Structure formats: C-alpha cells, structure tokens
C-alpha cells in the first residue's frame, strides 16, 4: 500500500488509503530561534493552532539549537536523583512497511535514578552513531524490537 505525501516534502508526513479520515494529521512545525527560546510559550501557540488534536506534533528545532552534549550529573544533583517520574510511558510499536500502530503503556512511578539505571541497560543504551540523522534512523529501524520508555512531563 503506497503512502500519499501530505504537506511539505521535508516534513516526511504521509497518509494511507483506507486510513481513518476522522483522525487529524500530525502537524509539523519549524519554530524560529526566538520562538524556540521560550518553549512553553511556543507549545501554547501550536496548541492554539490545533497541534494537540492528533495526539502529537513534530517540532523541528531551528539550526541555532544545539542538543546537550552529555547527560545530567546525577552524582552531584541529589534533588534530581530522588525526583519521581509519576507516569513513565512505555511505547509499544507494531507494524512494518510504513504502517505502524503505537500503544502507550503507563508504567508505575519511578525515581530519576531508577530511570537512569534502566537506560543504562544493554537494550536501551544508544547505539554508536556518527551524526544525529544516523541515530534517528537507527532509532526508527529498531522501534518495533525495543520499546522505549519515556519519562517526560515531569
């Protein structure tokens, strides 16, 4: 079954024949650096445009944004170490050939230390990569084999 591209080709956003027509498409956003600096304000803006109706949105950071080069120092930050993640989400993905189903399973609360220990497990450590594009490709290639655990919305 061939997908039909919708929107800007750089968004890599597709729909498929016979897919539900009452489900909104995932919206893709490209904030400017000034918009991105106040991320909470930007989220309010895109929600006012209906970004939340599909259940998620894709936000492509501006070129000026630089990801953190290393993790948090849990040995020095005791408050962070004991912080609770109330509802970690395990994302179980099934499918192939561009058609996937994602089920989010809510897990029991855990501390940031427990979460960090989980992430250091063999199956969850990031693979070796040369650039972020390669890392993203490897992530999506393996998404049906290893269910990621998210600790967002703390």
């Amino acid at each position: 079954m061939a997908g039909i591209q919708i929107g800007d080709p750089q968004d890599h956003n597709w729909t498929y024949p016979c897919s539900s027509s009452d489900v909104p498409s995932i919206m893709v956003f490209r904030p400017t650096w000034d918009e991105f600096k106040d991320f909470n304000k930007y989220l309010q803006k895109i929600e006012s445009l209906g970004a939340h109706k599909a259940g998620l949105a894709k936000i492509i950071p501006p070129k000026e944004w630089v990801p953190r080069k290393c993790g948090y120092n849990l040995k020095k930050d005791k408050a962070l170490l004991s912080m609770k993640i109330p509802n970690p989400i395990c994302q179980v993905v099934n499918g192939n050939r561009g058609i996937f189903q994602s089920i989010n399973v809510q897990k029991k609360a855990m501390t940031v230390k427990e979460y960090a220990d989980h992430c250091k497990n063999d199956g969850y450590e990031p693979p070796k990569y040369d650039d972020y594009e390669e890392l993203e490709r490897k992530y999506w290639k393996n998404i049906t084999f290893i269910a990621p655990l998210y600790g967002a919305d703390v």
Side-chain angles (χ1 to χ4, degrees):
M1 179 181 322
I4 301 166
Q5 189 170 356
I6 55 175
D8 187 326
Q10 292 180 333
D11 293 347
H12 304 286
N13 206 0
W14 302 84
T15 189
Y16 294 87
C18 303
S19 62
S20 180
S21 61
D22 61 343
V23 176
S25 294
I26 296 169
M27 298 173 80
V28 180
F29 297 92
R30 289 183 174 80
T32 65
W33 178 238
D34 285 334
E35 290 174 318
F36 201 72
K37 285 184 203 176
D38 189 346
F39 196 68
N40 287 333
K41 183 177 176 182
Y42 188 71
L43 289 179
Q44 291 173 352
K45 175 185 174 182
I46 67 172
E47 283 182 352
S48 75
L49 299 172
H52 61 291
K53 292 181 181 174
L56 63 106
K58 182 176 184 179
I59 300 173
I60 300 170
K63 289 184 178 12
E64 298 90 347
W65 178 72
V66 178
R68 186 177 60 245
K69 297 294 182 200
C70 62
Y72 298 101
N73 189 340
L74 297 179
K75 291 178 182 173
K76 288 185 179 179
D77 193 341
K78 300 296 181 194
L80 180 61
L81 199 63
S82 62
M83 180 186 284
K84 282 275 190 187
I85 301 170
N87 302 104
I89 301 291
C90 180
Q91 183 184 38
V92 181
V93 178
N94 297 302
N96 60 33
R97 297 185 188 167
I99 301 175
F100 295 90
Q101 176 187 32
S102 175
I103 300 168
N104 292 333
V105 180
Q106 212 172 74
K107 297 293 190 176
K108 66 178 182 146
M110 62 174 58
T111 65
V112 170
K113 181 184 181 330
E114 291 168 331
Y115 183 81
D117 291 343
H118 171 82
C119 294
K120 291 175 186 165
N121 185 333
D122 286 343
Y124 292 94
E125 283 192 306
K128 302 244 185 287
Y129 61 94
D130 294 321
D131 56 39
Y132 289 112
E133 286 79 18
E134 180 186 2
L135 178 61
E136 185 173 4
R137 276 192 309 278
K138 287 182 176 186
Y139 172 84
W140 289 112
K141 184 176 181 181
N142 291 295
I143 191 76
T144 59
F145 303 111
I146 300 171
L149 182 67
Y150 299 104
D153 300 332
V154 175

